[in-house]
């Protein structure tokens, strides 16, 4: 082996060791995280109870909650977490309207060793109709407990004693799981209504189970739930379909210049509707004359057999305009005669009977919008399984992941409530749609479906995504770095408008635990403790960068900026085909002139005057510390040492001269001396 090669090997090994040491510091074990949570939880609970028991004002002693005010029900082997009873007592005292409470849980593998944390959503009636997600520990107010005991005794004489063990110190264990599930649904039946408040969720580990197998049992669909779903479908058939020649469902389909795709969509709608009275309203915002003629001819053919049941009732609304999804959908909704509206992209192809499944849920009094799982055709990958609202905005969790396994909490394979679903396939009762104000026409392209769903949620409805039902969506897989800057600016402006309209929901999602991954665009659903070792890096003191002439601008240096909101910059960077442990990286800010982002093309070179950069004083760099991103490890198994490729910086006001900057990465290999540079498609606005 040559001397140079040997030296390079030795230096590379040292860099690998440094990388592993830093990675170890960034990673946090669940046991360490849990110890901190339990300690703080017990302390917070005891301090609050002490304050309520011994108020400073008059010194009069009072209790936070009456003794024996609730019953604890244990449905699996294990034990309560430290301080759990006090936390539950405090929660009941602070939320007098709540009748039933559940919490999060994990598994104790052996003394002092815990695993399989299960962080649950807030009250999710459709999730409870899919599985008994309340899990191992549930608390019920004593008054509600006695009421349900009496009702159950009357409905099933003599069977109450078989459900629970004898109550002892306000606690009992489940002895008949099937009967318990039936009883619990009766106990929370008042929660199946418009509005929230009867069922509470404590977002904290309250129970340590004995096995992962018992935990998984709670995620299984039982005979009781299958029968409940069949009853739902029967009730829908009897109440909504009997004697109804008029349309029950009106499918509103925006379309332009896609006659062949539109035909496939309409044929799919017809099959999916089966015997449900349905009409289709095609809203065309300006097809070319040739395509317009083809569409009219095709629609005429499809409607010819409508009167004898072989066709489908279709109306064609031709209204030339720039693409404006909200206006097109509102236009179709105004002409709809059905009780239910189905908004459908023309490139979504439905499977048989899915319309009935959606409709049976959409007519319930507490349901807002109904969506379904959408897959990319021929790939088996998920495009949509519900929209999650994170600090960076609404995102499609699980997008691009293979739909060949169960993800966290069976999120991709059962009905669950979400804050929003995509209008690529969305059903809602027309009266609720009008109550929410329809699609916001201030949002012509993006987030109009999220805005509608936010409005429905704020009115007290629960939106649901039926991920046990699927359709295929021919949306392009190309996303992210190839988006034009003008498109990104429009997207960000519409996101700002969304939260101006719904300020209380910015960064908040009741159906997604705060203890799941929330930073950046990690589409997995994973516990947040995995990245708890990361710290927000301050971007105070950026240094001017003047001489980068010997850098090679190369797309092998991937740069993805995921968000620049709230003075934070979140993203990741990876050097493809090389050992990332060997690289120093800087986040670069390049100030733009009036020509701005349209001229970011890499063929111009990063620092030429025509790019709009101020080469002398408009470039600044911040040395990156490296943030742990387990999703990079998982998504790039063929790349080396990419787990610390993330960055999360806070940029205080005034640290950069005022202006608009584009963001890039400078990377230098400490072993070979290779210098690389590349730019993202994102901009950052610096204020003085």
């Amino acid at each position: 082996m040559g001397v140079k090669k040997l030296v390079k090997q030795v230096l590379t090994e040292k860099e690998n060791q440094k990388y592993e040491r830093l990675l170890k510091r960034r990673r946090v074990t669940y046991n360490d995280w849990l110890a901190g949570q339990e300690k703080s939880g017990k302390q917070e609970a005891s301090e609050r109870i002490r304050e309520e028991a011994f108020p400073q004002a008059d010194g009069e002693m009072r209790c936070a909650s009456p003794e024996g005010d609730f019953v604890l029900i244990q449905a699996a082997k294990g034990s309560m977490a430290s301080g759990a009873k006090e936390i539950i007592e405090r929660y009941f005292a602070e939320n007098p309207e709540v009748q039933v409470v559940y919490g999060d849980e994990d598994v104790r593998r052996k003394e002092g060793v815990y695993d399989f944390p299960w962080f649950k959503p807030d009250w999710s009636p459709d999730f409870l109709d899919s599985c008994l997600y309340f899990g191992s520990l549930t608390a019920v107010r004593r008054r509600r407990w006695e009421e349900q005991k009496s009702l159950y005794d009357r409905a099933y004489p003599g069977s109450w004693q078989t459900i629970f063990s004898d109550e002892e110190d306000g606690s009992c264990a489940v002895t008949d799981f099937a009967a318990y599930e039936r009883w619990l649904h009766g106990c929370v039946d008042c929660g199946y209504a418009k509005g929230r408040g009867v069922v509470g969720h404590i977002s904290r580990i309250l129970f340590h189970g004995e096995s992962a197998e018992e935990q998984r049992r709670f995620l299984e669909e039982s005979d009781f739930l299958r029968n409940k779903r069949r009853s739902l479908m029967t009730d829908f058939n009897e109440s909504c379909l009997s004697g109804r020649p008029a349309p029950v469902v009106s499918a509103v389909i925006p379309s332009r210049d896609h006659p062949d795709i539109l035909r496939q969509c309409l044929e799919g709608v017809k099959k999916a509707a089966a015997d449900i009275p349905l009409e289709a309203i095609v809203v065309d915002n300006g097809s070319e004359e040739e395509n317009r003629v083809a569409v009219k001819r095709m629609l005429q053919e499809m409607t010819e057999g409508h009167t004898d049941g072989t066709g489908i009732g279709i109306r064609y609304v031709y209204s030339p305009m720039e693409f404006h999804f909200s206006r097109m959908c509102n236009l179709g909704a105004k002409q709809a005669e059905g009780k239910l509206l189905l908004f459908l992209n023309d490139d979504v192809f439905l499977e048989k009977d899915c319309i009935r499944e959606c409709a049976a849920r959409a007519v319930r009094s507490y349901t807002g919008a109904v969506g379904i799982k959408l897959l990319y055709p021929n790939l088996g990958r998920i495009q949509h399984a519900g929209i999650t609202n994170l600090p960076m905005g609404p995102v499609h969790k699980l997008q691009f992941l293979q739909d060949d396994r169960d993800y966290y909490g069976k999120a991709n394979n059962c009905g669950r409530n979400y804050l929003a679903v995509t209008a690529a396939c969305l059903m809602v009762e027309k009266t609720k749609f009008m109550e929410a104000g329809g699609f916001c026409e201030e949002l012509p392209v993006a987030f109009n479906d999220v805005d509608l769903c936010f409005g429905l949620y704020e009115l007290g409805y629960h939106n649901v995504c039926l991920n046990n039902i699927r359709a295929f969506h021919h949306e392009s897989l190309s996303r992210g770095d190839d988006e034009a800057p003008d498109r990104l600016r429009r997207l960000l402006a519409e996101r700002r408008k969304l939260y101006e309209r719904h300020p209380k929901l910015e960064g908040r999602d009741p159906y997604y635990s705060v203890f799941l991954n929330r930073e950046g665009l990690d589409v997995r659903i994973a516990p947040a403790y995995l990245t708890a070792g990361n710290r927000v890096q301050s971007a105070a003191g950026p240094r001017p960068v003047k001489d980068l002439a010997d850098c090679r601008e190369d797309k092998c240096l991937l740069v993805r900026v995921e968000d620049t909101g709230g003075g934070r910059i979140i993203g990741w960077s990876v050097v493809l085909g090389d050992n990332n442990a060997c690289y120093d990286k800087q986040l670069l800010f390049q100030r733009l002139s009036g020509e701005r982002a349209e001229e970011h093309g890499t063929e111009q070179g990063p620092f030429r005057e025509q790019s709009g950069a101020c080469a002398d004083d408009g470039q600044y760099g911040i040395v990156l510390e490296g943030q742990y991103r387990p999703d990079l490890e998982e998504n790039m198994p063929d790349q080396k040492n990419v787990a610390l490729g993330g960055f999360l910086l806070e940029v205080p006001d005034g640290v950069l001269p005022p202006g608009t900057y584009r963001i890039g990465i400078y990377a230098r290999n400490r072993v070979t001396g290779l210098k690389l540079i590349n730019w993202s498609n994102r901009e950052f606005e610096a204020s003085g």
Side-chain angles (χ1 to χ4, degrees), residues 195-212:
R196 285 163 283 276
V198 176
V199 181
H201 168 226
I202 297 174
S203 189
R204 190 178 292 277
I205 298 292
L206 299 183
F207 191 83
H208 305 304
E210 288 190 359
S211 72

Side-chain angles (χ1 to χ4, degrees), residues 536-539 567-570 587 622 624 647-651:
V536 179
Q537 180 181 347
S538 174
R568 284 188 171 192
I569 300 175
I570 303 171
L587 190 73
I622 298 170
L624 294 175
F647 50 82
L648 172 53
L649 296 95
E650 194 167 70
V651 187

Side-chain angles (χ1 to χ4, degrees), residues 50-64:
R50 190 182 303 115
E51 289 172 3
E52 292 180 343
F54 302 96
Q56 297 293 321
D58 54 15
E60 181 182 347
M61 181 174 173
R62 60 186 176 88
C63 294

Side-chain angles (χ1 to χ4, degrees), residues 40-159:
S40 64
K42 185 176 181 180
Q43 183 176 345
E44 288 171 8
S46 61
E47 288 178 356
R48 181 60 180 270
I49 290 169
R50 190 182 303 115
E51 289 172 3
E52 292 180 343
F54 302 96
Q56 297 293 321
D58 54 15
E60 181 182 347
M61 181 174 173
R62 60 186 176 88
C63 294
S65 184
E67 184 70 25
D69 192 42
F70 58 89
V71 177
L72 291 168
I73 303 170
Q74 186 172 320
K77 294 178 181 178
S79 59
M80 286 195 297
S82 174
K85 189 171 183 179
E86 292 80 5
I87 292 170
I88 293 170
E89 184 176 14
R90 170 183 165 185
Y91 187 91
F92 273 131
E94 293 177 343
N95 299 276
E97 74 284 359
V98 171
Q99 301 298 311
V100 180
V101 166
Y102 61 94
D104 300 339
E105 59 186 276
D106 61 16
V107 172
R108 179 165 51 198
R109 299 176 64 179
K110 59 182 180 179
E111 189 61 36
V113 179
Y114 301 89
D115 206 349
F116 304 108
W118 184 10
F119 301 114
K120 304 170 187 175
D122 288 352
W123 169 229
S124 177
D126 286 279
F127 197 18
L128 192 65
D129 282 346
S130 298
C131 62
L132 193 59
Y133 84 93
F134 284 9
S136 301
L137 185 69
T138 305
V140 180
R141 281 197 190 273
R142 172 70 63 177
R143 183 178 57 203
R144 186 70 175 170
W145 168 269
E146 297 296 344
E147 289 173 354
Q148 291 304 304
K149 179 179 178 180
S150 176
L151 289 171
Y152 199 87
D153 270 339
R154 287 201 296 270
Y156 307 97
S159 61

Side-chain angles (χ1 to χ4, degrees), residues 19-20 22-23 26-27 519-521 531 534-535 537 556-562 569-576 578-587 622-634 636 639-649 663-667:
Y19 172 86
E20 290 298 330
L22 179 57
L23 183 59
R26 290 283 188 263
R27 284 176 170 154
E519 296 288 358
L521 191 56
T531 56
N534 289 334
R535 296 291 182 269
Q537 180 181 347
C556 74
L557 174 58
L558 296 184
V559 184
R560 179 69 182 272
V561 177
E562 297 168 330
I569 300 175
I570 303 171
W572 56 267
S573 175
V574 166
V575 181
L576 297 177
D578 205 348
N579 185 354
N580 284 264
C582 298
Y583 280 88
D584 286 324
K585 293 179 183 176
Q586 290 188 45
L587 190 73
I622 298 170
V623 176
L624 294 175
E625 298 174 355
Q627 299 280 327
Y628 177 43
R629 288 287 296 255
D631 57 316
L632 298 181
E633 276 186 308
E634 185 175 312
M636 300 182 179
Q639 301 298 318
K640 192 167 184 180
N641 293 330
V642 297
L644 294 176
F647 50 82
L648 172 53
L649 296 95
I663 303 170
I665 292 286
Y666 160 68

Side-chain angles (χ1 to χ4, degrees), residues 92-372:
F92 273 131
E94 293 177 343
N95 299 276
E97 74 284 359
V98 171
Q99 301 298 311
V100 180
V101 166
Y102 61 94
D104 300 339
E105 59 186 276
D106 61 16
V107 172
R108 179 165 51 198
R109 299 176 64 179
K110 59 182 180 179
E111 189 61 36
V113 179
Y114 301 89
D115 206 349
F116 304 108
W118 184 10
F119 301 114
K120 304 170 187 175
D122 288 352
W123 169 229
S124 177
D126 286 279
F127 197 18
L128 192 65
D129 282 346
S130 298
C131 62
L132 193 59
Y133 84 93
F134 284 9
S136 301
L137 185 69
T138 305
V140 180
R141 281 197 190 273
R142 172 70 63 177
R143 183 178 57 203
R144 186 70 175 170
W145 168 269
E146 297 296 344
E147 289 173 354
Q148 291 304 304
K149 179 179 178 180
S150 176
L151 289 171
Y152 199 87
D153 270 339
R154 287 201 296 270
Y156 307 97
S159 61
W160 172 259
Q161 291 78 7
T162 68
I163 304 178
F164 304 104
S165 64
D166 292 336
E167 187 183 336
E168 202 171 313
D169 297 326
S171 302
C172 62
V174 173
T175 54
D176 185 336
F177 192 83
Y180 166 64
E181 185 174 38
R182 179 172 59 193
W183 173 84
L184 184 63
H185 273 257
C187 197
V188 301
D189 62 351
C190 50
Y192 288 82
K194 183 180 176 183
R196 285 163 283 276
V198 176
V199 181
H201 168 226
I202 297 174
S203 189
R204 190 178 292 277
I205 298 292
L206 299 183
F207 191 83
H208 305 304
E210 288 190 359
S211 72
E213 289 73 23
E214 276 205 319
Q215 190 183 93
R216 283 193 290 269
R217 179 180 66 163
F218 291 110
L219 290 169
E220 296 173 358
E221 185 184 39
S222 64
D223 289 338
F224 168 77
L225 293 176
R226 279 187 284 270
N227 290 333
K228 187 175 183 182
R229 190 174 70 243
R230 281 193 287 267
S231 296
L232 175 70
M233 302 306 296
T234 300
D235 291 345
F236 170 73
N237 291 340
E238 293 177 352
S239 62
C240 294
L241 299 185
S242 180
R244 284 290 300 266
V248 172
V249 176
S250 296
V252 177
I253 307 172
S255 184
R256 176 175 176 171
D257 287 322
H258 293 146
D260 293 337
I261 292 175
L262 179 60
R263 176 185 287 276
Q264 292 181 61
C265 176
L266 289 167
E267 288 174 347
V269 167
K270 180 182 174 182
K271 291 177 182 177
D275 59 346
I276 296 178
L278 178 141
E279 66 172 351
I281 303 166
V282 176
V283 182
D284 187 332
N285 66 316
S287 288
E288 300 272 339
E289 182 61 25
E290 180 182 354
N291 289 323
R292 183 183 178 190
V293 171
V295 167
K296 293 178 73 173
R297 184 187 307 116
M298 179 260 293
L299 297 183
Q300 185 176 0
E301 292 172 1
M302 296 189 75
T303 56
E304 282 178 352
H306 179 51
T307 54
D308 61 15
T310 61
I312 179 173
I314 304 174
R315 272 180 282 166
Y316 182 51
V317 179
Y318 185 77
S319 181
M321 67 178 91
E322 289 295 319
F323 179 77
H324 196 304
F325 184 83
S326 295
R327 191 169 297 156
M328 293 168 73
C329 287
N330 288 339
L331 187 61
K334 287 179 182 177
Q335 301 201 27
E337 297 179 357
K339 175 184 177 68
L340 294 161
L341 301 173
L342 171 62
F343 297 100
L344 193 66
N345 282 13
D346 63 0
D347 59 352
V348 171
F349 305 137
L350 302 177
E351 291 198 332
K352 187 177 180 180
D353 288 336
C354 69
I355 288 181
R356 185 189 300 272
E357 291 275 359
C358 292
R361 288 159 178 83
V363 297
R364 299 175 303 186
S365 63
Y366 59 90
T367 299
V370 180
I372 62 176

